[in-house]
Amino acid sequence: MATFISVPLKKSSEVDLVKPLSKFVTATYPAGEEQAEYIRSVEELNKLRKNALGRPLDKHESSLEILLRYYDQLCAVEPKFPFSENQLCLTFTWKDAFDKGSLFGGSVKLALASLGYEKTCVLFNGAALASQIASEQNLDSDEGLKAAAKYYQLASGAFGHIKDTVLSALNREPTMDVSPETVGTLSLIMLAQAQEVFFLKATSDKMKDAIIAKLANQTADFYGDAFKQCQYKENLPKYFYFQEVLPVLAAKHCIMQANAELHQSLLAKQKKRFGEEIARLQHATELVKTVASRYDEYVSVKDLSDKISRALTAAKKDNDFIYHDRVPEVKDLEHIGKAALVKATAITPPLSAKFTDLFEKMVPMAVQQSMSVYSQRKAETVNRLVGTMREATNLCNGVLASLNLPAALEDLSGDSIPQSIVEKARAIVQQGGLQSIEQLIRDLPELLTRNREILDESLKMLSDEESTDSELRSKFSQRWNRTPSGDLYKPLRAEGGNFRSVLDKAVQADQVVKERYNTHCEMIALLCKPEAELTAAIPSANPVKTLQGSEVVSVLRSQLARLEEVKKERERLEAEIKGVTFDMSSSFLTALAQDGAINEEALSMSQLDQSYGSYSQRVQASLRSQEELLGKVQTSHQEFSKLKQSNSEANDREEVLKKLASAHDSYVEITSNLKEGTKFYNDLTEILLKFQNKCSDIVFARKTERDELLKDLQQSIAREPSAPSFNVPAYQTNPAPTAADPAPAPRTVFQPQQPQVKAQPPQRPPPPAFTPQAASAPGNPPDNQPQPGNPPPMAPPSQAQGPPYPTYQGYPGYAYQMPMGYNPYAAFGQYNMPPAMQPNMQPYVPYQQAPAPGQGGFPGPPPHTAAPLHLPTAAPAPTTSTILPTTITTV
């Protein structure tokens, strides 16, 4: 009776995890010890998959431990890598565990770029292996019973977990073995078997009959639920596996009900309810008879049947002679209670006792994404503060340049170069002068072209693959059941569009910088000349020596000195702002652990306000101080201008000095812009290369998936019939006899079926002897025709002697029924004789006309006879003909 159901394992194709995961690690983490450690972990993960799925597994706990450890590692690694069709694309291929396909088509399989699919299939294998290990346990020992109950409950929980999560994990229709209907049925079967193990444990421990009856009744309910679930699902009964399982479930449902009735009858006997005892035993007898008659080839109930039969016989005997208790109907019996001692094991990773996360130090992708967004927010905050200060500094320089300050205060002599102009000219020369700017300007188009080519090539790969996918989709229509490339590439195309927009804006910014350079190119070239040439290029003017000791000049110099202090303070403040660092990963990890999600915006804004709030206040204070000082400088400059002697020469000199000061400021800004542009293009090149790699990876994965799908479609098309079924004409199935074939027998009661491959006909027996009188009788055939020498026909026997045999034209009204021992038509009809007896037989040739009176219509037995076959004699017919002997021979 101890027949337990186990589940076969799924088979997976080999997948290389090292290359794509290592590529992601290299692109995401900087070179160093951390990156090397992650790459080693990737290799260990690949080895773990090969051990779990790349070889046959023994039905042992150690094999289950490997499977569960790989499942735990998948659960741990899932949030740390961006597994998806359009990011880190890994295609996992699994075969159906039950549907083996056809001889020519191969097994049914499904390939998906989904880590959730891999997890589902690995957990299915874990549950299947647990069921196999449980079925191998020795149920005669307590250790075996405990282990079997443990593994059946684990299998039930795993199948139930797959039922709840498979659709969300795959986002498409799964294969039938992991569909919710199938795994839900398997979960019920495993739970019923776990309950049965508890019933066996209670029976072996000889617990109270009331407890055992409740356990058995609950087990019967579990098996009944599993049977209904399996029977009522449309797709399950077509599998051979479930065709074998259904009878076992039905048999066990009846067996456990019979056990419940048996033990409840013992309880009724203890309570002196002898009629109830007999009724329950009778019901149990009917149940085991049902099993024996319908499911005997699956489950043996002989021992249980004998036990119930003995108990019923004794109970009836005692009741008939002693108690005379009324036997109630089964429907009137009190319902037996139920006791469920099993529960599906909850699937909460880690399931393995020896699990250690290979990527323990790697932060989850949710944290990485939050860190990326936080870095963008931080960069925006820093750029906003630094940009505000730089704008204020440029405004200050522009105002001072328009006022020709501080050059106007240094040029009181009217004939020498102001010291500030000399220092600015020296700074430009040290930075490379015009040559450095022109080289940077020449480099920009090359960098731009390189980035455009990378972006165009990346988008072209997507377009080519999408075009191929569209052609195949239009060709195969509904059969091409994978995600359309157009839908899959939408995020990548949006990202590529953003890159193109960024490049277009960069081109516009480059043009603005070039125009500004062209505007100040002449003055910048003048500042790059030697001091003597610079002095000669600046017009001279009348000296203004009377202003050198004036109070206005002193006030202006003091105000300009304070403005210089403000600008230096800004440089220090900019360095401090850029140097602020804070590790948000701990905050994000804490939030993820506590809430299961990360509110990145709230956490980031709170930290940024805390880190940069004081700097923002200092920047605003610097702006207010500059604004106040510029107002005072403008007022003092108006008084200074009034005191200066105004003439055309002085105005020309002041205008040139203003242009030189403005050219220096423009040179500094243009150089900074060009260097930032060069850095921008170089950084963008790295980003676009990563984008190109991402596009290349997904296109390659889609190509691999496309090839697999094409192969499956070709196999499915090969399995389909090329044309609808049609009826074959009769002359094609039953060909007409040729000249080489033996002549058919005379007309018969039935038409014998012609075999597909006809055996070689036996040799012809010798002709029977005949009398001269018969030869001279009228109507006899010619001399060259053999005549039968049989005695006259007799009435057919009253008992059945075999299938009907032919009648003959010479004896209308007679129907000769041949004994089974002699059949001269064996070579032509469907009732063929054994092959060992055929070589000595001769083909029968029918007589052309009726035999003479007094002679039978059958040839006599051939001279070579075997052992005689004695048949019962039949009552002779009222005729004067010779009766056929009852002892005949068989050929």
Side-chain angles (χ1 to χ4, degrees):
M1 182 211 133
T3 301
F4 287 90
I5 299 168
S6 60
V7 181
L9 273 68
K10 292 172 68 67
K11 293 182 180 180
S12 173
S13 301
E14 185 176 353
V15 179
D16 181 19
L17 301 178
V18 175
K19 183 178 179 181
L21 295 184
S22 299
K23 196 173 184 180
F24 172 80
V25 169
T26 305
T28 305
Y29 297 93
E33 180 61 30
E34 183 182 26
Q35 184 188 101
E37 182 180 354
Y38 291 155
I39 292 178
R40 288 194 296 269
S41 299
V42 167
E43 294 172 353
E44 288 296 324
L45 177 62
N46 195 55
K47 291 180 183 178
L48 182 58
R49 188 182 195 276
K50 289 183 178 180
N51 290 334
L53 306 177
R55 61 184 180 87
L57 297 177
D58 298 329
K59 298 177 183 179
H60 192 268
E61 186 177 0
S62 59
S63 299
L64 180 61
E65 178 69 23
I66 294 174
L67 262 179
L68 295 181
R69 184 145 50 93
Y70 178 56
Y71 175 78
D72 290 337
Q73 188 59 67
L74 289 178
C75 294
V77 82
E78 184 177 21
K80 298 181 180 180
F81 288 89
F83 294 102
S84 66
E85 284 186 285
N86 54 6
Q87 295 188 55
L88 187 56
C89 185
L90 283 173
T91 301
F92 300 99
T93 304
W94 287 82
K95 295 181 180 179
D96 194 306
F98 304 128
D99 193 341
K100 302 304 180 183
S102 64
L103 177 62
F104 301 100
S107 302
V108 176
K109 60 184 178 181
L110 176 64
L112 285 180
S114 167
L115 191 70
Y117 179 52
E118 174 86 346
K119 284 172 53 183
T120 297
C121 295
V122 172
L123 186 59
F124 181 95
N125 272 12
L129 185 58
S131 71
Q132 296 179 10
I133 295 174
S135 64
E136 294 291 322
Q137 297 299 316
N138 180 15
L139 301 183
D140 294 331
S141 65
D142 287 347
E143 292 77 10
L145 289 170
K146 289 179 181 178
K150 169 187 171 184
Y151 289 126
Y152 280 134
Q153 291 178 90
L154 173 62
S156 177
F159 286 131
H161 183 78
I162 295 173
K163 175 187 175 183
D164 297 335
T165 60
V166 62
L167 294 181
S168 60
L170 270 61
N171 291 324
R172 60 157 294 167
E173 190 68 23
T175 52
M176 279 304 301
D177 56 345
V178 293
S179 65
E181 295 85 0
T182 305
V183 291
T185 302
L186 295 176
S187 178
L188 290 175
I189 294 174
M190 296 300 117
L191 197 64
Q193 295 187 148
Q195 178 77 11
E196 183 180 355
V197 171
F198 275 94
F199 162 77
L200 295 177
K201 171 67 174 173
T203 305
S204 65
D205 291 346
K206 297 181 179 180
M207 301 179 71
K208 295 181 179 180
D209 292 311
I211 297 176
I212 298 177
K214 291 180 180 179
L215 291 175
N217 196 31
Q218 182 64 68
T219 307
D221 267 15
F222 282 155
Y223 276 119
D225 294 341
F227 179 81
K228 293 175 183 177
Q229 181 81 2
C230 188
Q231 186 183 35
Y232 294 155
K233 296 300 179 182
E234 296 180 358
N235 295 322
L236 297 186
K238 72 176 183 179
Y239 288 126
F240 177 76
Y241 174 81
F242 287 99
Q243 292 173 7
E244 294 291 314
V245 164
L246 271 170
V248 176
L249 297 178
K252 287 206 168 190
H253 173 67
C254 295
I255 291 171
M256 299 314 297
Q257 275 190 327
N259 275 288
E261 295 289 358
L262 173 62
H263 288 278
Q264 193 69 19
S265 71
L266 297 176
L267 185 62
K269 182 178 181 180
Q270 295 172 10
K271 297 181 179 179
K272 309 297 183 183
R273 300 174 183 171
F274 303 105
E276 178 184 346
E277 177 191 9
I278 295 173
R280 293 193 181 277
L281 289 173
Q282 288 175 344
H283 187 208
T285 302
E286 294 173 359
L287 290 169
V288 294
K289 283 183 178 179
T290 301
V291 175
S293 61
R294 296 183 182 180
Y295 314 113
D296 186 53
E297 60 178 309
Y298 299 98
V299 179
S300 175
V301 290
K302 186 177 184 306
D303 295 340
L304 179 62
S305 178
D306 293 344
K307 185 177 180 180
I308 295 174
S309 179
R310 290 193 300 269
L312 179 59
T313 302
K316 283 185 174 180
K317 181 178 179 181
D318 292 343
N319 192 55
D320 291 343
F321 287 96
I322 302 174
Y323 306 113
H324 304 289
D325 195 6
R326 186 184 68 85
V327 178
E329 296 288 337
V330 175
K331 63 181 181 179
D332 297 330
L333 295 176
E334 183 180 353
H335 291 291
I336 304 174
K338 301 174 185 178
L341 298 184
V342 294
K343 184 179 180 182
T345 303
I347 303 302
T348 306
L351 301 177
S352 170
K354 301 178 181 179
F355 171 69
T356 54
D357 189 3
L358 296 174
F359 300 90
E360 185 176 4
K361 296 181 180 179
M362 183 182 289
V363 296
M365 281 303 301
V367 177
Q368 294 182 30
Q369 293 171 357
S370 299
M371 287 292 297
S372 177
V373 177
Y374 167 75
S375 299
Q376 294 179 2
R377 295 183 188 274
K378 177 184 175 182
E380 291 174 358
T381 302
V382 171
N383 291 337
R384 186 181 68 253
L385 295 177
V386 172
T388 301
M389 291 189 294
R390 288 184 178 180
E391 289 178 2
T393 300
N394 292 336
L395 176 62
C396 178
N397 292 335
V399 171
L400 293 181
S402 66
L403 300 178
N404 194 25
L405 294 175
L409 298 179
E410 298 168 353
D411 191 37
L412 296 179
S413 62
D415 53 359
S416 61
I417 302 177
Q419 185 63 32
S420 61
I421 300 298
V422 173
E423 293 176 355
K424 291 176 180 179
R426 191 178 297 121
I428 289 177
V429 172
Q430 290 176 353
Q431 294 182 27
L434 284 178
Q435 291 79 8
S436 64
I437 287 186
E438 290 175 352
Q439 183 62 42
L440 291 172
I441 291 177
R442 285 195 296 269
D443 291 343
L444 288 181
E446 297 179 4
L447 299 175
L448 174 65
T449 302
R450 181 180 64 182
N451 287 333
R452 283 194 184 279
E453 290 176 352
I454 295 173
L455 180 59
D456 292 342
E457 181 64 26
S458 303
L459 295 178
K460 183 177 181 297
M461 285 191 294
L462 299 181
S463 299
D464 292 345
E465 200 282 327
E466 183 177 350
S467 175
T468 304
D469 181 74
S470 300
E471 292 176 2
L472 293 172
R473 187 174 303 280
S474 61
K475 179 178 180 180
F476 293 104
S477 187
Q478 297 296 331
R479 293 186 177 185
W480 198 252
N481 56 354
R482 70 169 185 168
T483 306
S485 295
D487 297 340
L488 190 62
Y489 295 158
K490 282 182 180 179
L492 290 175
R493 291 196 178 279
E495 190 174 358
N498 291 335
F499 288 138
R500 195 173 296 281
S501 177
V502 168
L503 286 175
D504 293 340
K505 291 180 180 179
V507 171
Q508 297 176 2
D510 294 344
Q511 188 63 31
V512 172
V513 173
K514 290 179 183 178
E515 292 176 357
R516 188 170 184 181
Y517 168 74
N518 294 331
T519 302
H520 298 280
C521 177
E522 184 179 355
M523 288 294 133
I524 293 174
L526 184 60
L527 286 172
C528 294
K529 292 182 178 181
E531 186 174 346
E533 295 184 18
L534 181 59
T535 303
I538 300 176
S540 59
N542 294 328
V544 196
K545 299 182 181 292
T546 55
L547 296 177
Q548 288 193 8
S550 66
E551 183 179 357
V552 175
V553 173
S554 301
V555 170
L556 267 176
R557 286 177 175 169
S558 173
Q559 292 170 347
L560 293 177
R562 290 171 61 187
L563 278 176
E564 285 298 322
E565 285 294 328
V566 170
K567 290 192 284 186
K568 291 181 179 179
E569 176 64 24
R570 282 178 186 163
E571 293 176 359
R572 293 192 293 270
L573 185 58
E574 180 178 340
E576 292 181 14
I577 290 175
K578 290 181 178 180
V580 173
T581 57
F582 184 79
D583 186 12
M584 284 294 293
S585 60
S586 58
S587 300
F588 290 145
L589 284 171
T590 302
L592 185 62
Q594 291 178 351
D595 305 331
I598 301 175
N599 189 350
E600 181 275 330
E601 183 178 2
L603 294 174
S604 297
M605 295 306 296
S606 174
Q607 182 60 41
L608 290 175
D609 290 342
Q610 181 179 350
S611 300
Y612 294 100
S614 59
Y615 290 108
S616 179
Q617 294 176 2
R618 291 172 62 183
V619 168
Q620 294 301 322
S622 175
L623 294 180
R624 289 193 296 269
S625 177
Q626 174 181 298
E627 184 178 1
E628 181 181 354
L629 286 173
L630 283 178
K632 293 180 178 180
V633 166
Q634 288 176 341
T635 302
S636 300
H637 183 267
Q638 290 177 358
E639 296 179 4
F640 174 75
S641 299
K642 290 178 182 179
L643 295 177
K644 287 177 63 177
Q645 186 177 6
S646 178
N647 54 47
S648 59
E649 295 179 355
N651 291 337
D652 293 341
R653 180 180 177 85
E654 186 172 354
E655 189 66 26
V656 171
L657 293 177
K658 288 180 182 180
K659 290 181 179 180
L660 290 175
S662 178
H664 169 266
D665 295 339
S666 297
Y667 178 87
V668 173
E669 187 174 356
I670 290 171
T671 302
S672 176
N673 291 338
L674 290 175
K675 288 181 178 179
E676 288 180 356
T678 302
K679 182 178 183 301
F680 163 77
Y681 283 124
N682 289 329
D683 294 343
L684 185 60
T685 299
E686 295 182 5
I687 296 174
L688 288 176
L689 287 175
K690 292 181 181 179
F691 177 73
Q692 186 182 40
N693 290 336
K694 187 190 299 185
C695 294
S696 176
D697 291 343
I698 190 173
V699 168
F700 177 78
R702 293 283 288 180
K703 181 179 180 299
T704 304
E705 183 185 9
R706 181 187 68 204
D707 294 342
E708 289 287 337
L709 187 54
L710 279 173
K711 181 179 178 182
D712 294 341
L713 284 175
Q714 290 170 358
Q715 293 177 350
S716 64
I717 292 173
R719 291 195 298 263
E720 293 178 354
S722 57
S725 60
F726 55 90
N727 296 325
V728 180
Y731 73 88
Q732 295 183 8
T733 57
N734 295 319
T738 61
D741 293 332
R747 62 182 181 87
T748 57
V749 178
F750 63 93
Q751 180 67 32
Q753 296 181 354
Q754 297 293 336
Q756 294 294 330
V757 180
K758 187 173 296 183
Q760 186 68 22
Q763 297 180 358
R764 178 180 178 181
F770 61 93
T771 60
Q773 292 81 4
S776 60
N780 283 348
D783 294 339
N784 60 351
Q785 294 288 339
Q787 294 293 333
N790 283 8
M794 59 174 287
S798 59
Q799 60 186 16
Q801 296 295 319
Y805 282 91
T807 59
Y808 292 92
Q809 299 177 3
Y811 297 92
Y814 285 92
Y816 288 91
Q817 192 160 5
M818 292 291 295
M820 286 299 293
Y822 182 74
N823 181 9
Y825 307 100
F828 307 100
Q830 61 181 352
Y831 299 96
N832 295 332
M833 300 187 69
M837 303 173 64
Q838 290 179 4
N840 296 325
M841 294 184 62
Q842 300 294 332
Y844 174 74
V845 179
Y847 296 101
Q848 301 300 320
Q849 64 183 20
Q855 293 184 348
F858 299 94
H864 47 281
T865 61
L869 175 64
H870 296 279
L871 298 177
T873 59
T879 178
T880 59
S881 301
T882 305
I883 301 175
L884 185 68
T886 58
T887 302
I888 64 174
T889 59
T890 59
V891 179

